[in-house]
Amino acid sequence: ILGSVANNLPKEIMATYRDVTLCIDIMFLNRIPFFVSISRNIHFITAEVLDNRKQASLLKALHCIHGIYGKRGFRINTILGDSEF
């Protein structure tokens, strides 16, 4: 299914928005940490529950998000986060 989604994107969207700037943060809901991201321009939002706030968990979540964009043909070229990152 993911491959077919990438093939169905209009060429104009890929030409304009292929390079993605990703804004990331950690959000808490009932004391449960979530790795949250939103892409500029296309406004695609992701949220991934974290086991903890250690570097390994953050990298695992970031790799997952990178894969989501990559499968659809997008390239993350900039990541913006606060000093926690």
Side-chain angles (χ1 to χ4, degrees):
I1 289 179
L2 292 178
S4 64
V5 171
N7 295 334
N8 292 331
L9 287 174
K11 291 179 183 177
E12 298 83 17
I13 290 177
M14 289 309 292
T16 305
Y17 302 114
R18 171 166 271 157
D19 292 322
V20 173
T21 296
L22 195 65
C23 302
I24 60 173
D25 204 357
I26 296 175
M27 177 180 73
F28 290 88
L29 182 61
N30 293 332
R31 293 188 241 174
I32 300 169
F34 288 84
F35 188 95
V36 180
S37 74
I38 185 168
S39 55
R40 287 191 172 173
N41 299 320
I42 57 176
H43 307 288
F44 181 69
I45 299 170
T46 66
E48 177 132 358
V49 69
L50 293 171
D51 294 330
N52 54 54
R53 292 167 53 189
K54 295 183 180 179
Q55 182 178 0
S57 294
L58 298 175
L59 284 173
K60 180 180 173 186
L62 189 57
H63 283 290
C64 181
I65 292 167
H66 184 270
I68 291 169
Y69 281 93
K71 287 177 184 174
R72 288 164 177 81
F74 293 99
R75 298 180 299 226
I76 298 172
N77 63 359
T78 304
I79 299 174
L80 304 174
D82 60 16
S83 60
E84 185 170 11
F85 295 100

